[in-house]
Amino acid sequence: MTGLRGSSTRSTPARREAPRSDLTPPRDEPMSEQAHESAPIITIEHAAEHVGRLVTIRGWLYNMRESGKLLFPIFRDGTGVMQGVLSLKEQPDAFAALKGLPQESSVIVIGKIQAEPRAPGGCEIHISGIEVIQRVADSNPYPIQLKEHGVDFLLDQRHLWIRTPRQASILRIRAEAIRSARNYMDDLGYTLTDAPIFTPAACEGTTTLFEVNYIDDQKAYLTQSGQLYVEATAAALGKVYTFGPTFRAEKSKTRRHLTEFWMLEPEAAYAHLEDMIELGEGLVSTVVQAVVKNRARELATLGRDAAKLEKIVPPFPRITYDDAIQVLQKAGNPAKWGDDFGGDEETLISKQFEKPVIIHRYPAGMKAFYMATDPARPELALSFDMIAPEGFGEIIGGGERQSSYETLVQRLREHNLPEEAFEWYLDLRRYGSVPHAGFGLGLERTVTWICGTEHIREVIPFPRMLYRVYP
RNA sequence: UGGGGCGUGGUCCAAUUGGUAGGGCACCUCACUGUUAAUGAGGACGGUGUUGGUUCGAGUCCAACCGCCCCAGCCA
C-alpha cells in the first residue's frame, strides 16, 4: 500500500485527536494499516467489482442524510461517490463517530459492499468501521452546498468547487483528452519540442501580450503561441509539436476566452495544407473517441449525449471560405467576401453539420504574416480553421507557412513588426527553407465542446480570465 | 473597449405605488430504521456594493464610483 496513508507525510494533529472510539472495532494499530490485510483499499469507481467483500475506502464525507437511527453518508474518494449505510443498533461506535460529522471531513471507512437498488449508483457500503482523519470545524462549515450557487461565488471557491462530481468529471475528461492527443502525435512520429514561455516579441502583431520584467530591466513577453519555435524545431526534427500554456492579454470577456489556455501545436517540414487538415481530423476524432470510450462515466455525470460524440469520425466536412460565404448568404446572413467570421457566422455554419467543419483558404488579408498564399489564387491564404459542432466555436486554426525569405520580410514590414526580434525566425528561411505547415488546437475549447459545458472556465482547474486571477 | 443587465444574512432569492427587511438551503437543537439536494419542529445569523443627493421616511428614486454577468469585437 503506497497511497495517502502509507507515507509518513500524514501526521496531522487531527489524526492524533481522533478518539479511539472512532475505530470500530478497536485496533492496536491504525485501522488502515490493518485494513490492508482484511479489507483491501479500493476506489469507488471500481466498487461494483467488490460486491460482497469487506473493503476500505479513503476519502471525504460528501453529504449525509439522516433518518432516525440510520445514517446515509455519501462518500467521495476522487473517483466517484458512494452511499454508505449505518445503523445505531448494529454499529453503535461507528454511528457515534459519524453522526453529526460535518460535510467534507476526511474519513477512512471500512465496510462491506452490497448491491442495493435503492442506493444511487447501484451499490452501497455497509459501514463497520470509520476513522475520522480531519473533522471540519462546526464553527466554519464547508461553504459549498449541494444546492445552486452563483458563478462568481463558485469561482472564488474554485479550489473547493473542483471536489464536486461534475467538476471532477470535467477535469478527468480534460486529462483523457491530453493523454490521447499526445499519444496520437507520438504514435505518428511527432516529437514533442517544448516552446519557451518567455519570448522576446509577438508571434502575431494582432493580439495583446503580457509584458513581464525580465532580468536587468529587459522586457519579455509571455508566449501567445509556440508557432514560431515549432517551425524551428520542425526544420531540426521533421515532425514536431508543442503542448503548453499560452497567454493572451486580450480584453475578451466571452464564454470562449481565457487569458491563459493550453494549445497543442503540430508542425511538419515538407507538409502542405491538406496534410494538416488530415492531421487535425485524425487528432480531433481520436481525442473524442478516447473520451467516449474511456470516460463514459464522466460524460454521463455531465449529462452529455455520447451519441453525438460517437459520430465524430473522419472525414469531416470541408468547405472553402468562398463556399462558406455562399452558405451564410443563403441563410440570410449579410456576410460578404473579405469579412471575417464572428461567433454568429461560425455557429450558423457549424449547425449545418454534425461533425466539426473545416473552412479553408481564407482571404490572405485577414491572416497572420507568416501564412503562405495559394499559388493558384494569391488573394487566398493556405489556411484552415476547424469549427466545432453545436456552436462551440473554433478549435483549430492553422495552415501552410510562408517559406520565402523575401516575402516574409515584406510581410513583417507590412505588419509593422520589429525585424530584429525575428532575425532567428528569418534564419529558418535563409538556411534550407522548405514548405511546412502546422496548426494550433485549443485544448479548452475542444474540451468545452466534448463536455458540452456552457463556459470554458469550467474545463481548466484554475481559470485565468480577464479580471480573475484568484484563487 | 462598446451595448445590455445585476449587486439584499454564509449561500440562492423575495420585499406591492418609497413606509422602516423576509423565505429556502447551509449551520445549531430535537424527532424519525431505507434516505435519494430526506422530512417535520425550534434556534441563531444581515440593514441591503461604496459615496453623495432627493424625501418626514430610500434595497426601492437620482448621480458618480467599484465589482460581477451576458453579448459584440479579437482570437484558440
Side-chain angles (χ1 to χ4, degrees):
Chain A
M1 197 244 321
T2 55
L4 298 166
R5 296 298 322 283
S7 70
S8 58
T9 56
R10 230 207 76 257
S11 58
T12 63
R15 162 99 187 282
R16 269 179 239 112
E17 280 168 19
R20 238 335 176 232
S21 60
D22 280 0
L23 297 175
T24 321
R27 294 163 190 279
D28 292 335
E29 48 185 296
M31 185 176 76
S32 53
E33 306 297 332
Q34 176 100 7
H36 190 45
E37 317 283 327
S38 53
I41 293 162
I42 64 156
T43 54
I44 289 172
E45 67 180 332
H46 294 119
E49 300 157 23
H50 297 272
V51 168
R53 286 208 279 271
L54 193 67
V55 300
T56 303
I57 290 174
R58 305 183 301 186
W60 296 262
L61 181 65
Y62 177 64
N63 189 30
M64 185 147 60
R65 285 185 276 268
E66 294 184 40
S67 180
K69 310 286 187 291
L70 278 183
L71 295 180
F72 296 98
I74 296 179
F75 300 108
R76 59 171 195 87
D77 73 343
T79 73
V81 296
M82 186 166 68
Q83 174 171 286
V85 203
L86 188 53
S87 82
L88 173 63
K89 199 171 178 181
E90 290 164 25
Q91 300 287 346
D93 292 343
F95 190 95
L98 190 61
K99 169 108 177 143
L101 193 66
Q103 191 187 0
E104 286 299 322
S105 293
S106 40
V107 290
I108 294 177
V109 178
I110 284 188
K112 195 192 235 182
I113 303 289
Q114 291 191 3
E116 173 53 71
R118 288 171 293 187
C123 58
E124 62 185 9
I125 182 166
H126 286 249
I127 300 160
S128 52
I130 184 157
E131 181 183 1
V132 177
I133 303 304
Q134 189 250 332
R135 182 189 176 94
V136 172
D138 289 327
S139 56
N140 197 11
Y142 191 67
I144 298 181
Q145 309 168 23
L146 275 55
K147 295 261 182 179
E148 277 181 279
H149 285 293
V151 182
D152 198 41
F153 172 77
L154 288 172
L155 285 172
D156 279 341
Q157 309 290 335
R158 182 61 177 172
H159 52 296
L160 302 175
W161 187 21
I162 52 179
R163 298 183 180 194
T164 60
R166 182 185 158 79
Q167 296 304 314
S169 293
I170 290 172
L171 295 185
R172 270 187 222 108
I173 289 169
R174 174 192 172 95
E176 177 64 31
I178 294 169
R179 191 195 64 76
S180 57
R182 292 196 43 179
N183 282 353
Y184 181 77
M185 299 307 299
D186 294 343
D187 290 349
L188 284 179
Y190 281 76
T191 302
L192 179 70
T193 58
D194 296 315
I197 288 173
F198 289 128
T199 61
C203 296
E204 306 173 27
T206 51
T207 47
T208 322
L209 292 159
F210 284 102
E211 188 181 280
V212 295
N213 284 319
Y214 205 60
I215 311 294
D216 292 340
D217 293 334
Q218 237 189 309
K219 294 289 183 214
Y221 305 89
L222 300 185
T223 182
Q224 57 185 336
S225 167
Q227 150 87 53
L228 269 41
Y229 293 94
V230 93
E231 286 188 52
T233 58
L237 294 130
K239 296 197 291 186
V240 299
Y241 70 103
T242 180
F243 177 64
T246 54
F247 308 86
R248 307 253 169 116
E250 299 157 354
K251 305 244 170 161
S252 304
K253 294 180 72 171
T254 80
R255 70 175 69 168
R256 295 207 279 267
H257 287 268
L258 295 167
T259 53
E260 176 181 326
F261 63 98
W262 287 63
M263 267 206 298
L264 190 151
E265 296 174 280
E267 191 78 26
Y270 292 105
H272 296 279
L273 177 63
E274 289 301 312
D275 302 315
M276 283 302 126
I277 291 178
E278 274 175 34
L279 182 68
E281 274 177 349
L283 176 61
V284 169
S285 54
T286 297
V287 166
V288 171
Q289 295 313 320
V291 171
V292 168
K293 179 167 173 267
N294 301 324
R295 299 268 84 122
R297 179 194 295 251
E298 284 77 11
L299 288 174
T301 299
L302 299 177
R304 179 62 161 144
D305 183 7
K308 278 186 178 164
L309 297 175
E310 280 165 6
K311 292 177 182 161
I312 310 304
V313 291
F316 296 168
R318 304 177 190 195
I319 60 172
T320 61
Y321 173 87
D322 291 350
D323 291 342
I325 291 287
Q326 298 290 314
V327 169
L328 288 170
Q329 288 176 348
K330 267 182 203 153
N333 187 285
K336 56 185 189 304
W337 204 94
D339 291 349
D340 205 351
F341 299 146
D344 284 353
E345 288 75 25
E346 282 179 359
T347 301
L348 221 160
I349 294 168
S350 72
K351 291 240 160 123
Q352 323 236 344
F353 306 97
E354 291 186 320
K355 297 182 195 180
V357 56
I358 286 146
I359 305 174
H360 57 96
R361 290 177 169 80
Y362 283 78
M366 67 174 67
K367 288 294 172 184
F369 74 93
Y370 50 72
M371 279 293 180
T373 51
D374 191 344
R377 287 178 60 191
E379 75 275 21
L380 298 180
L382 288 173
S383 65
F384 79 104
D385 285 353
M386 187 186 289
I387 315 293
E390 303 167 63
F392 282 94
E394 182 183 340
I395 54 175
I396 282 180
E400 203 164 321
R401 319 306 186 189
Q402 183 56 254
S403 56
S404 152
Y405 175 84
E406 287 74 20
T407 313
L408 199 55
V409 169
Q410 191 186 323
R411 291 283 156 73
L412 280 171
R413 288 174 186 159
E414 285 167 11
H415 284 79
N416 289 318
L417 293 168
E419 267 173 67
E420 325 78 66
F422 290 93
E423 276 306 314
W424 69 269
Y425 186 65
L426 290 166
D427 269 356
L428 304 177
R429 274 70 180 173
R430 292 188 182 104
Y431 307 112
S433 187
V434 295
H436 60 290
F439 62 81
L441 170 83
L443 176 71
E444 286 79 10
R445 290 229 180 130
T446 305
V447 176
T448 302
W449 158 53
I450 292 173
C451 291
T453 59
E454 184 71 17
H455 200 296
I456 197 167
R457 64 193 158 205
E458 288 185 51
V459 307
I460 185 166
F462 296 95
R464 301 286 93 124
M465 299 181 295
L466 195 59
Y467 309 132
R468 172 169 293 276
V469 288
Y470 178 92

